[in-house]
Short mmCIF file of all heavy atoms in Angstrom, two decimals:
data_model
loop_
_atom_site.label_atom_id
_atom_site.label_comp_id
_atom_site.label_asym_id
_atom_site.label_seq_id
_atom_site.Cartn_x
_atom_site.Cartn_y
_atom_site.Cartn_z
N SER J 79 22.36 14.06 18.27
CA SER J 79 21.58 14.55 19.42
C SER J 79 20.66 15.59 18.86
O SER J 79 20.74 16.12 17.71
CB SER J 79 22.49 15.14 20.42
OG SER J 79 23.09 16.33 19.96
N GLY J 80 19.70 16.04 19.71
CA GLY J 80 18.83 17.11 19.30
C GLY J 80 19.59 18.36 19.15
O GLY J 80 19.30 19.21 18.19
N MET J 81 20.57 18.64 20.05
CA MET J 81 21.47 19.80 19.92
C MET J 81 22.19 19.85 18.67
O MET J 81 22.34 20.88 17.97
CB MET J 81 22.40 19.87 21.12
CG MET J 81 21.75 20.37 22.39
SD MET J 81 21.14 22.12 22.23
CE MET J 81 22.79 23.01 22.26
N TYR J 104 14.13 25.70 25.10
CA TYR J 104 15.03 24.63 25.57
C TYR J 104 16.40 25.26 26.02
O TYR J 104 17.03 26.05 25.27
CB TYR J 104 15.28 23.57 24.56
CG TYR J 104 16.23 22.47 25.05
CD1 TYR J 104 15.75 21.64 26.07
CD2 TYR J 104 17.51 22.36 24.64
CE1 TYR J 104 16.53 20.58 26.50
CE2 TYR J 104 18.32 21.37 25.09
CZ TYR J 104 17.86 20.50 26.04
OH TYR J 104 18.67 19.54 26.49
N GLU J 148 9.66 27.10 19.26
CA GLU J 148 9.56 25.85 19.94
C GLU J 148 8.13 25.82 20.55
O GLU J 148 7.76 26.82 21.33
CB GLU J 148 10.58 25.81 21.06
CG GLU J 148 10.46 24.51 21.91
CD GLU J 148 11.59 24.55 23.04
OE1 GLU J 148 12.59 25.19 22.92
OE2 GLU J 148 11.25 24.01 24.15
N ASN J 152 9.49 24.71 26.37
CA ASN J 152 10.09 24.31 27.65
C ASN J 152 10.37 25.56 28.47
O ASN J 152 11.00 26.46 27.98
CB ASN J 152 11.44 23.68 27.33
CG ASN J 152 11.56 22.28 27.83
OD1 ASN J 152 11.37 22.05 28.99
ND2 ASN J 152 11.77 21.36 26.92
N ASP J 177 10.97 23.64 16.63
CA ASP J 177 11.29 22.56 17.56
C ASP J 177 10.04 21.92 18.03
O ASP J 177 9.34 22.52 18.87
CB ASP J 177 12.23 23.09 18.70
CG ASP J 177 12.62 21.97 19.70
OD1 ASP J 177 11.99 20.90 19.66
OD2 ASP J 177 13.58 22.23 20.50
N THR J 179 9.63 18.92 19.48
CA THR J 179 9.95 17.85 20.36
C THR J 179 8.84 17.45 21.27
O THR J 179 8.54 16.27 21.45
CB THR J 179 11.24 18.17 21.19
OG1 THR J 179 12.34 18.41 20.33
CG2 THR J 179 11.59 17.07 22.24
N MET J 197 12.22 20.31 13.69
CA MET J 197 13.32 19.67 14.44
C MET J 197 12.74 18.89 15.61
O MET J 197 11.82 19.28 16.25
CB MET J 197 14.25 20.76 14.94
CG MET J 197 15.36 20.36 15.87
SD MET J 197 14.99 20.86 17.53
CE MET J 197 16.01 19.68 18.46
N SER J 199 14.28 16.69 19.18
CA SER J 199 15.21 15.90 20.03
C SER J 199 14.62 14.53 20.06
O SER J 199 13.62 14.26 20.75
CB SER J 199 15.40 16.44 21.47
OG SER J 199 15.99 15.46 22.19
N THR J 201 15.77 12.03 21.17
CA THR J 201 16.11 11.49 22.48
C THR J 201 14.82 11.34 23.39
O THR J 201 14.80 10.50 24.25
CB THR J 201 17.06 12.42 23.19
OG1 THR J 201 18.12 12.75 22.40
CG2 THR J 201 17.61 11.84 24.54
N LYS J 202 13.86 12.14 23.02
CA LYS J 202 12.65 12.27 23.91
C LYS J 202 11.55 11.32 23.42
O LYS J 202 11.75 10.15 23.42
CB LYS J 202 12.24 13.73 23.96
CG LYS J 202 13.38 14.75 24.21
CD LYS J 202 14.07 14.52 25.58
CE LYS J 202 15.32 15.34 25.66
NZ LYS J 202 15.29 16.76 25.39
N LEU J 211 20.42 8.87 22.41
CA LEU J 211 20.63 10.29 22.22
C LEU J 211 20.49 10.49 20.69
O LEU J 211 21.33 9.96 20.02
CB LEU J 211 21.86 10.76 22.79
CG LEU J 211 22.13 12.23 23.08
CD1 LEU J 211 21.20 12.65 24.20
CD2 LEU J 211 23.56 12.41 23.54
N ALA J 212 19.58 11.29 20.23
CA ALA J 212 19.44 11.47 18.71
C ALA J 212 18.62 12.74 18.46
O ALA J 212 17.88 13.28 19.35
CB ALA J 212 18.69 10.26 18.15
N LEU J 333 13.11 14.10 29.29
CA LEU J 333 11.65 13.98 29.17
C LEU J 333 11.27 13.07 28.07
O LEU J 333 12.13 12.62 27.33
CB LEU J 333 11.02 15.36 28.96
CG LEU J 333 11.55 16.17 27.69
CD1 LEU J 333 10.66 15.95 26.48
CD2 LEU J 333 11.69 17.62 27.99
C1 PLP Z 401 16.15 17.72 24.83
C2 PLP Z 401 15.74 18.80 23.97
C3 PLP Z 401 16.57 19.40 22.96
C4 PLP Z 401 18.02 18.92 22.90
O1 PLP Z 401 18.11 17.61 22.47
P1 PLP Z 401 19.35 16.57 22.93
O2 PLP Z 401 18.88 15.33 22.28
O3 PLP Z 401 19.35 16.52 24.40
O4 PLP Z 401 20.57 17.18 22.40
C5 PLP Z 401 16.10 20.40 22.19
N1 PLP Z 401 14.82 20.87 22.35
C6 PLP Z 401 14.00 20.33 23.22
C7 PLP Z 401 12.59 20.84 23.30
C8 PLP Z 401 14.37 19.30 24.05
O5 PLP Z 401 13.51 18.82 24.99
#
Side-chain angles (χ1 to χ4, degrees):
S79 69
M81 281 297 288
Y104 180 71
E148 177 183 331
N152 240 303
D177 180 342
T179 298
M197 173 254 157
S199 168
T201 311
K202 314 297 170 52
L211 201 63
L333 56 97

